[in-house]
Amino acid sequence: MLPSGHNKRRRACLLHRQINVTEPLRKRPAAQDRAQSRLYFPSATLDRVELGCGNRAKAHGAKTMGTQGAIENLNTEDERNFSEEPDDRSNWYTKTILDSELADYAPVKGCMVIRPYGYALWEHIQRALDDMIKATGHSNAYFPLFIPESFINKEKAHVEGFAPECAVVTHGGGKKLDEPLIVRPTSETIINYMFAKWVQSWRDLPLLINQWANVVRWEMRTRLFLRTAEFLWQEGHTAHATADDAETEARLALEMYRQLAEDWLALPVLTGEKTERERFAGAVRTYCIEAMMRDGKALQSGTSHYLGQNFAKAFEIQFQNKDGNLEFAYQTSWGVSTRLVGAIVLGHGDDKGLILPPKVAPIQVVIVPIYKTDAEKETVTAKCQEIAAALKPVARVHFDDRDNYTPGFKFNHWEQKGVPIRLNIGPKDVANNVVEIARRDTGEKIRNVSQASLPNEIAGLLVQIQKNIFERALKFRQENTIQVETYDQLKKALTDKNLFVETYWAGSSADEAKIKEETKATIRCIPFEPAAQEGKCMYTGTPTKTRAVFARSY
């Protein structure tokens, strides 16, 4: 079914790449060349908080401890959870994040502090996506962190899905509240309350809103960036006059996420629909992007939901159509989060630490001086400063002029932080007007590069590195994806390693649950395009054209 003319134009704007997502790296103002010095901290503690909507765990009489004690307690518990994995990948992941200074543990259980380097990485991801969101006609807004409990209860499937994860505020200002407030786990309910006020006529539609915010979901088992009690994200919420327009919007949002993952984060992703068992609470359909990490596991990296009229009916979002009749609006919601930082770590990193795609790397080029004497230091430092100034129009550059660390230490330090390009400059390089380039993605060293041609060389190399990181990840996924025809084949394939397993599927939610129990694998997505030929479901034997991708996941 064709979308409306309005949505045709919006989709064409994105799909024809008029929003610069594949253009060479853009010039950044000098003020953004270095990592921002902002820190992100969890929300301030309120008077009293209860956890869970249904069976709430009372926290009124909890004993307090010193900050250091809280940190030690949290670190011990989280590290124990990580070490329960059958291999060292989880320990490597945590150590890499801590050592590269992306994040640190907070004194609040299940929360993290995003450090300046990690926040700068998130800002580049955020900026790229925000440009796409605005280019497709959406506007940013902000809605309250606190949501009346009655709002959550209005949509039955929604409350059932989120009740176990809710944090509930019962007291404020030293008094018990008239109505408990839910600390935002997602904003469908409070945004739809406002939509009901704003939408009166078909002329008010489509209503296209995006919010950048923090949310709280009380996770019992946390992992830095991948699953924390509080995290940062964007959530898009839209209302439309027809089901076709809303469906087109949900697919458009998914395409934005695909472009963000592939063109900016260098992560190849599968796109498709979630099964009923994995569907967002209250949605008619949920779409997703799924990326393969370096250990063969899947990571759900973004979701988009076609909500139908479920929330519109619960919150009475009605409009007068062109014929003068009242109708309920059709809606979507969609979001990605700081989980994408974890995806970059797990999707590209190696034993040395991070490997950052140049487009989102806080620092794209680091310059390391090499000298022995004070005279050499003066000469080399002056040349490094000159080169840094020459490169600023084409890259985000940092000159590491610390004199209390050896060049070898600096090499390891910046490799660990995943900086795409390192320039090594010593006295002989200064004398010969050349530099040595070291690539983080391949480890290759390019010697005797002319200083005069360096800006062009670096600009081209950044594009090449971005492409190489993506192609390597794509090759890894292709080499670790197989097709099977029977359930026994699936179980055998997943015995010794993690894979993406594609197969025919016509099973039920109960069948999915049984397979997960026996293999720890779930259906990551149902690809949009059905198979060209009919086959038999690997589990039930039922004829079908539907294909599904199974994998273990984070």
Side-chain angles (χ1 to χ4, degrees), residues 37-50:
S37 59
R38 278 174 278 175
L39 279 170
Y40 174 75
F41 292 99
S43 304
T45 304
L46 297 169
D47 285 20
R48 299 181 182 182
V49 176
E50 295 179 348

Side-chain angles (χ1 to χ4, degrees), residues 53 56 147-155 159 179-182 189 193 314-315:
C53 274
R56 299 177 192 148
I147 301 171
E149 188 178 48
S150 59
F151 284 20
I152 299 290
N153 292 332
K154 280 192 174 185
E155 215 290 324
V159 68
E179 179 181 3
L181 297 175
I182 308 297
T189 56
Y193 175 86
F315 286 87

